Amino acid sequence: AVAQEPFWADLQPRVALVERGGSLWLNCSTNCPRPERGGLETSLRRNGTQRGLRWLARQLVDIREPESQPVCFFRCARRTLQARGLIRTFQRPDRVELVPLPAWQPVGENFTLSCRVPGAGPRGSLTLSLLRGTQELIRRGFSGEPPRARGAVLTATVLARREDHGANFSCRAELDLRPHGLGLFANSSAPRELRTFALPLDPPHLTAPRLLEVGAERPVSCSLDGLFPASEAEVYLALGDQRLSPDVTLQGDALRATATATAGHEHEGTRQLVCNVTLGGESRETWENVTVYSFPAPRLALSDPNAPEGHLVTVTCTGGAQARVTLEGIPAAVPGQPVQLQINVTEDDDKRDFFCDAALEVDGETLSKNESAELRVLYAPRLDDSGCPRSWTWPEGPEQTLRCEARGNPAPSVHCARPDGAARPERQRVSRQDAGTYQCVATNAHGTDSRTVTVGVE
Ligand SMILES: *[C@@H]1O[C@H](CO)[C@@H](O)[C@H](O)[C@H]1NC(C)=O
Ligand SMILES: *[C@@H]1O[C@H](CO)[C@@H](O)[C@H](O)[C@H]1NC(C)=O
Ligand SMILES: *[C@@H]1O[C@H](CO)[C@@H](O)[C@H](O)[C@H]1NC(C)=O
Ligand SMILES: *[C@@H]1O[C@H](CO)[C@@H](O)[C@H](O)[C@H]1NC(C)=O
Ligand SMILES: *[C@@H]1O[C@H](CO)[C@@H](O)[C@H](O)[C@H]1NC(C)=O
Ligand SMILES: *[C@@H]1O[C@H](CO)[C@@H](O)[C@H](O)[C@H]1NC(C)=O
Ligand SMILES: *[C@@H]1O[C@H](CO)[C@@H](O)[C@H](O)[C@H]1NC(C)=O
Ligand SMILES: *[C@@H]1O[C@H](CO)[C@@H](O)[C@H](O)[C@H]1NC(C)=O
């Protein structure tokens, strides 16, 4: 048309690419010698205008539409001369959003990475990539999309691995306007850290006593293998409503929690020992029944632990309310009842041990405790052939001592002397004058015994 027509209208620039929200001066001109009327038709907002004889320049501001076509016209000798321009906008990737990752992602399961770049465009010039750290996982361009298209989304399915624990995922967007004489505009999302975990399906293994005596301290432990990251696992260990504070040790993927269990009288009966391991928002639990019982040791009492010979001594064995006691082989008629023995004590009962045994049935198991006590019998001295032979024969010369031993409680003192009262010194050499009879006397608080012994010298 321009070639055929001598007069034309022109618009400069004909084609423009401006940043969204930006402004642009358009110069609409003609070669018509005396144009009657001219103007610029556009839906875009106008700001300033400058005019010349054969031209009109306008500033268009706040250009937001992806694409618009302003028309420059002049009336020239009853004809209308026109020129059409093309203004396109672009928008930098000023919002690059990686959709939040799951709080905890199980190892071996897929999760979705999704990136949104709203508004940026033209889409055809965009390239999105998803990254783990600095490693690019997937990259996609959108060439071929219509020029009006804006914004883009890129989604990928990723298999979670142990190595991904603590890895930062991010999204990068590039708007490449270099073919249009502009630059490369790139931006990245804030990184999102992934936490992966592995928790086996099996419950933890609990080691605990089946029976727990009131007041006793017993170790309990709870262990679970195959945990990742084991250091992030939390253990809850409780006996009934009593929370235990375990010591947790980690070895590779294995966790072991140990604690000391104790119970008071108020806990008697069946209690549940619970172990719960939580990781990645999931937990595994094990219960075990623990029977808490109380079993006081039997009490063995002697009415007189130091009884004179010929006196009656009562031996009593008492157990707990449910325990059956047996004293010297004699069982109580019913559990809870004491057993009693009465004896007229003799010398032979001195240092006698009495033994009492208590048996308690707890949850199908028979437990036993025992107690013993020693009786002392007080009795007068006894001199006999074993401790004090009636006749002694010594060879003349070597040293000898005349000494007799007496039974008795308390231990008697024994003293041997000639009828005239002369005692023979200890460890004295034997002479013929030592031959003859001696009187040995044993004494303690309960009486005396005496014996005549004869010494012969060869
Ligand atoms: C507009 O274009 C005409 C013709 O090319 C020129 O003479 C004039 O100076 C231009 N106006 C502005 C403001 O650039
Ligand atoms: C609009 O024109 C005024 C006056 O010429 C100028 O000060 C202002 O900067 C212009 N606005 C824009 C967005 O360019
Ligand atoms: C890059 O993206 C971030 C987050 O979406 C945004 O805060 C920032 O302004 C962007 N930077 C540029 C240069 O567009
Ligand atoms: C994870 O996704 C890939 C590809 O989408 C699929 O082939 C694979 O079976 C999925 N794995 C699991 C465990 O879901
Ligand atoms: C991930 O990012 C966080 C915070 O931005 C940083 O502390 C951590 O070291 C990063 N992890 C890796 C593996 O780079
Ligand atoms: C624990 O005891 C309760 C009742 O006292 C019983 O129902 C349950 O089966 C027991 N559990 C185990 C594991 O023995
Ligand atoms: C104990 O036995 C002795 C000898 O059999 C007897 O003499 C004494 O009376 C008895 N003592 C009692 C308290 O029965
Ligand atoms: C008595 O109890 C003790 C510990 O309390 C035990 O070692 C011993 O074997 C028990 N004796 C008998 C005969 O049961």
Side-chain angles (χ1 to χ4, degrees):
V2 171
Q4 287 161 10
E5 283 286 337
F7 301 122
W8 39 254
D10 186 28
L11 186 61
Q12 282 301 324
R14 271 296 170 101
V15 177
L17 183 61
V18 298
E19 185 158 9
R20 185 174 183 268
S23 57
L24 177 70
W25 279 93
L26 282 183
N27 190 344
C28 176
S29 60
T30 181
N31 62 349
C32 179
R34 269 192 300 274
E36 293 156 26
R37 207 159 54 79
L40 186 68
E41 273 179 7
T42 177
S43 58
L44 300 173
R45 261 181 61 201
R46 289 167 258 193
N47 192 16
T49 306
Q50 290 175 16
R51 281 172 200 282
L53 187 58
R54 279 183 288 277
W55 60 270
L56 169 90
R58 283 221 149 128
Q59 188 191 27
L60 302 179
V61 296
D62 195 23
I63 306 170
R64 289 177 177 275
E65 284 177 39
E67 207 171 68
S68 60
Q69 297 190 346
V71 176
C72 161
F73 69 91
F74 283 98
R75 288 287 290 172
C76 180
R78 295 190 193 160
R79 296 181 58 111
T80 301
L81 309 174
Q82 282 196 1
R84 188 180 293 269
L86 176 60
I87 302 174
R88 282 186 172 145
T89 56
F90 72 89
Q91 188 178 339
R92 299 172 198 238
D94 52 4
R95 282 165 67 200
V96 185
E97 297 165 354
L98 185 65
V99 171
L101 301 175
W104 280 99
Q105 172 63 31
V107 166
E109 287 182 22
N110 282 332
F111 69 101
T112 302
L113 280 177
S114 184
C115 179
R116 279 172 11 105
V117 189
R123 187 185 299 152
S125 303
L126 272 175
T127 303
L128 297 188
S129 42
L130 290 166
L131 301 104
R132 176 201 289 119
T134 55
Q135 178 203 359
E136 195 172 272
L137 300 173
I138 182 172
R139 180 183 182 88
R140 187 174 164 203
F142 298 87
S143 61
E145 293 271 340
R148 296 186 145 268
R150 293 288 182 271
V153 173
L154 178 60
T155 299
T157 298
V158 181
L159 185 66
R161 304 165 310 164
R162 285 188 175 208
E163 306 88 278
D164 297 327
H165 182 70
N168 288 319
F169 288 84
S170 64
C171 175
R172 180 175 161 87
E174 286 174 357
L175 182 66
D176 188 359
L177 299 179
R178 285 174 298 188
H180 301 278
L182 295 168
L184 173 73
F185 302 99
N187 197 2
S188 292
S189 69
R192 292 197 187 271
E193 191 169 342
L194 184 69
R195 293 190 292 174
T196 62
F197 76 101
L199 180 63
L201 286 174
D202 351 314
H205 181 72
L206 202 52
T207 310
R210 213 166 58 78
L211 307 178
L212 176 63
E213 186 175 354
V214 166
E217 295 192 338
R218 288 282 172 274
V220 296
S221 74
C222 176
S223 54
L224 188 59
D225 202 352
L227 293 170
F228 174 82
S231 58
E232 297 272 351
E234 281 178 20
V235 189
Y236 170 85
L237 195 58
L239 179 62
D241 51 11
Q242 199 189 345
R243 185 165 182 174
L244 308 176
S245 16
D247 285 331
V248 179
T249 53
L250 303 175
Q251 198 167 36
D253 292 347
L255 172 149
R256 189 177 150 86
T258 51
T260 301
T262 58
H265 282 288
E266 67 276 20
H267 302 118
E268 271 183 57
T270 301
R271 298 274 130 190
Q272 273 195 334
L273 183 69
V274 181
C275 179
N276 183 314
V277 176
T278 305
L279 180 58
E282 289 183 29
S283 61
R284 303 286 181 264
E285 196 166 67
T286 305
W287 304 268
E288 203 126 297
N289 284 343
V290 173
T291 303
V292 176
Y293 67 94
S294 111
F295 185 15
R299 287 187 313 280
L300 187 57
L302 300 171
S303 59
D304 185 354
N306 291 292
E309 192 175 25
H311 280 215
L312 285 180
V313 170
T314 309
V315 185
T316 311
C317 182
T318 324
Q322 267 92 47
R324 185 190 287 266
V325 293
T326 303
L327 175 60
E328 294 295 293
I330 305 158
V334 287
Q337 255 185 17
V339 184
Q340 216 165 48
L341 278 180
Q342 210 172 37
I343 46 173
N344 179 348
V345 298
T346 66
E347 175 192 342
D348 293 338
D349 295 320
D350 186 34
K351 296 190 179 164
R352 175 170 168 190
D353 277 321
F354 288 90
F355 182 80
C356 177
D357 173 86
L360 180 70
E361 181 129 337
V362 182
D363 201 17
E365 216 168 290
T366 304
L367 308 172
S368 89
K369 286 191 178 183
N370 63 61
E371 177 73 320
S372 61
E374 192 191 55
L375 174 68
R376 294 308 309 263
V377 177
L378 303 173
Y379 63 97
R382 310 249 199 287
L383 284 166
D384 57 21
D385 288 346
S386 68
C388 194
R390 288 189 189 278
S391 94
W392 303 62
T393 305
W394 290 335
E396 186 179 23
E399 288 178 359
Q400 291 287 358
T401 300
L402 179 61
R403 183 186 290 143
C404 269
E405 307 264 342
R407 286 179 289 114
N409 183 23
S413 63
V414 188
H415 184 77
C416 298
R418 294 258 193 200
D420 63 4
R424 185 174 182 277
E426 290 191 9
R427 296 170 59 80
Q428 180 180 279
R429 294 178 70 85
V430 175
S431 70
R432 287 167 206 192
Q433 287 78 47
D434 290 328
T437 58
Y438 294 80
Q439 188 70 14
C440 290
V441 182
T443 314
N444 72 6
H446 296 271
T448 53
D449 192 14
S450 68
R451 201 163 227 230
T452 305
V453 303
T454 315
V455 174
V457 178
E458 291 180 336

